[in-house]
Amino acid sequence: MLKGYQSWEFKKRPVIMGTATIVGPDEGNGPLGNEFDIVHADTKLGQDSWEKAEKKMLEEAAQLALENAGVTKEHIQFYVGGDLLNQIISNSFAVRTMQIPYLGIFGACSTSMEGLALASMIVDSGYGYQVLTGTCSHNSTAEKQFRYPTEYGSQKPPTAQYTVTGAACAVVGNRGKGPVVTGATIGRVIDMGIKDPFNMGAAMAPAAVDTLQSHFRDFKREPGYYDLILTGDLASVGYEIACELLEKHKVPIKQTRYYDCGLMMYDLEKQSVQAGGSGCACSATVTYGHVLKRIQKGELKRVLIVATGALLSPLSFQQGESIPCIAHAVAIESEVN
Amino acid sequence: MLKGYQSWEFKKRPVIMGTATIVGPDEGNGPLGNEFDIVHADTKLGQDSWEKAEKKMLEEAAQLALENAGVTKEHIQFYVGGDLLNQIISNSFAVRTMQIPYLGIFGACSTSMEGLALASMIVDSGYGYQVLTGTCSHNSTAEKQFRYPTEYGSQKPPTAQYTVTGAACAVVGNRGKGPVVTGATIGRVIDMGIKDPFNMGAAMAPAAVDTLQSHFRDFKREPGYYDLILTGDLASVGYEIACELLEKHKVPIKQTRYYDCGLMMYDLEKQSVQAGGSGCACSATVTYGHVLKRIQKGELKRVLIVATGALLSPLSFQQGESIPCIAHAVAIESEVN
């Protein structure tokens, strides 16, 4: 049910029955490499285009998430998903294969948690028994679409972020075992006037902080309720700004308990990823691959994932617009409380 | 709650508290011209780009829908919307102005009913009291993005469709007066292998028929339950194919009670719109501008809107892919049953 102004409380505690995470070679070589289900050595996955490779990763993630949840696609009522590509083709084409009723969404890199929030809401409210949610991104499709042709080899400023090649899906259901989804906060669009698409972390940080503040207000919770709070993909520049903003607004988040998925995916010292990871798959694979494993091991009990998205397009940038940003937060807790 | 396999029954009958429809000059000159709230003579609305004009139409529609519903934006918990443009920038930028928590969606021209279904579900389940939903499209932004530069003046085959310039919003709430939303059916992706983006009606017709059949199965209803069934924007070619498919599958829909929004927006004899209208705004403006007025006048009691979407992108077309299509159905009834 509605909680506060812009949040949902899931009283029936929908279960994350199973997940799957697929990544490319750079992500496999990162510090979390061992936590993903499949690491592909070839960023094309044997396909004849990067777009088809991105779609194939999502198909693999969907199939494996169903297997890991112990269900087949006939048990799934709805698929909720989206991606970064124009007209979210990776999702629409993957769903064509799956043949599950489809709710397409777009939240740029916040898509993972927009999808998990909607899937959990559908299950919690009884409008579905099992819902599949997923997202994906691919470094080469994103570079091609948003920046320069990949082959061009353009140099990047240190504030730029590296789009994660990967896909992740989760089955959310009204039964079974696994971590549970207890709440979500839907973000507002925040635009601080930043126009540089090579500094999206700085653009997105205020949206993350706005959603965090809204979440604590709506649930009447202190940040200490959570063992771990992760923003989506602010990476090094945005993470520092978020920390400063949280301090300025007197949000008592301990930095030992707050980190960012964009800083976790790669080894920033050794891998050439500028400020860190980004892309729809960043928070999705870190959450479903790494964070859930830590919850299942008992290392974490309550986690808040705040996926951030920069809602620009190359055309809005060319027309001189600044970057509207958003962040959606989802609370995931251990089934044993 | 979930009804059948892929449908939602809204037992609390969320109310369409107010709507607004904004269109451009061609739509104003069409047979429904008098039914829209605002008809703009200038397709640029005084803006310096068509994209900004499209966004401005949506902002106007949102503002006017709130006024017509007798609420302010502070009464609205969530905005659910999307459009055809890459990264749905019209919606994301319009929401930046509105400052309402935002769920971005993408369903191509099915977006209107994906949004109305989700908004109604949120209200029906108590996850929001009032939800705003909207969509928009613009002939010149769509031509530019999906086909050829508008200035190029390329010729079109008679199967092509004409993207509606317009925007439409609806406030769905748990109180007030107005037509009510009683159910929805979420579509699957259907792809019959059609690759011609100048014949989208033919590509979308099977998706419309699949969703219609699913709707009648899930609700255990005969088509005769509805006074009027409207598909989104199949236009002349797709409408004929849909009629043939319905006959082939023995779905007893009387053709006097089934028509298509794409055939209603323009005068196909006098206006140069090839097979008829399309675009996110097509089913949205026809439904919120024309159909709801007929319900309020007592001319119609039960209506089913089946908005159709072609989920291609220029890039998927260039890579030789066929066109995956989808249709979402929403049942709207008179508050006095």
Side-chain angles (χ1 to χ4, degrees), chain A residues 1-2 4-11 48-52 55 76-78 84-89 92-93 95-96 99-107 114 118 120-122 124-129 144-146 186-191 311-316 319-324 326 328, chain B residues 1-2 4-11 48-52 55 76-78 84-89 92-93 95-96 99-107 114 118 120-122 124-129 144-146 186-191 311-316 319-324 326 328:
Chain A
M1 58 178 297
L2 185 69
Y5 293 90
Q6 62 194 78
S7 297
W8 294 331
E9 185 175 16
F10 303 126
K11 294 204 167 175
D48 61 7
S49 76
W50 289 310
E51 289 77 16
K52 289 181 185 171
K55 179 195 73 164
I76 304 291
Q77 282 80 49
F78 305 104
L84 282 173
L85 292 192
N86 298 342
Q87 289 75 53
I88 59 168
I89 47 169
S92 299
F93 281 84
V95 173
R96 179 176 65 176
Q99 285 288 300
I100 301 170
Y102 170 45
L103 292 158
I105 59 173
F106 181 79
E114 181 180 345
L118 278 169
S120 304
M121 196 262 274
I122 292 171
D124 193 59
S125 62
Y127 286 70
Y129 306 130
K144 175 178 159 181
Q145 181 183 278
F146 284 103
I186 303 302
R188 298 183 298 160
V189 171
I190 306 288
D191 187 335
L311 305 171
L312 81 166
S313 83
L315 192 129
S316 71
Q319 293 189 356
E321 288 277 11
S322 52
I323 304 175
I326 199 162
H328 301 301
Chain B
M1 57 178 299
L2 185 69
Y5 294 90
Q6 61 195 78
S7 296
W8 295 330
E9 184 175 18
F10 304 126
K11 294 204 168 176
D48 61 7
S49 76
W50 290 310
E51 288 77 15
K52 290 182 184 169
K55 179 196 73 167
I76 304 291
Q77 281 81 50
F78 306 104
L84 283 173
L85 293 192
N86 298 342
Q87 289 74 53
I88 59 168
I89 48 169
S92 299
F93 281 85
V95 173
R96 179 176 66 177
Q99 285 289 299
I100 301 170
Y102 170 45
L103 292 158
I105 59 172
F106 181 79
E114 180 179 346
L118 277 168
S120 304
M121 197 261 272
I122 292 171
D124 193 58
S125 61
Y127 286 70
Y129 306 130
K144 173 177 159 181
Q145 181 183 280
F146 285 102
I186 303 302
R188 297 182 301 158
V189 171
I190 305 288
D191 187 335
L311 304 172
L312 81 167
S313 82
L315 191 129
S316 71
Q319 293 190 355
E321 288 277 11
S322 52
I323 305 175
I326 199 161
H328 301 300

Side-chain angles (χ1 to χ4, degrees), chain B residues 274-322:
Chain B
Q274 296 86 43
S278 69
C280 293
C282 185
S283 56
T285 54
V286 171
T287 302
Y288 298 148
H290 169 67
V291 176
L292 292 194
K293 284 198 176 73
R294 291 194 62 195
I295 294 177
Q296 279 161 330
K297 279 183 203 160
E299 294 171 15
L300 297 169
K301 282 208 156 176
R302 294 161 173 172
V303 176
L304 186 68
I305 311 289
V306 189
T308 48
L311 304 172
L312 81 167
S313 82
L315 191 129
S316 71
F317 165 69
Q318 286 156 9
Q319 293 190 355
E321 288 277 11
S322 52

Side-chain angles (χ1 to χ4, degrees), chain A residues 276-331:
Chain A
S278 69
C280 294
C282 185
S283 56
T285 53
V286 171
T287 302
Y288 297 147
H290 169 68
V291 176
L292 291 194
K293 282 196 177 75
R294 291 195 61 196
I295 294 178
Q296 280 162 328
K297 280 182 203 160
E299 294 172 13
L300 297 170
K301 281 209 156 176
R302 294 162 172 171
V303 175
L304 187 68
I305 311 290
V306 189
T308 47
L311 305 171
L312 81 166
S313 83
L315 192 129
S316 71
F317 165 68
Q318 286 155 9
Q319 293 189 356
E321 288 277 11
S322 52
I323 304 175
C325 293
I326 199 162
H328 301 301
V330 175

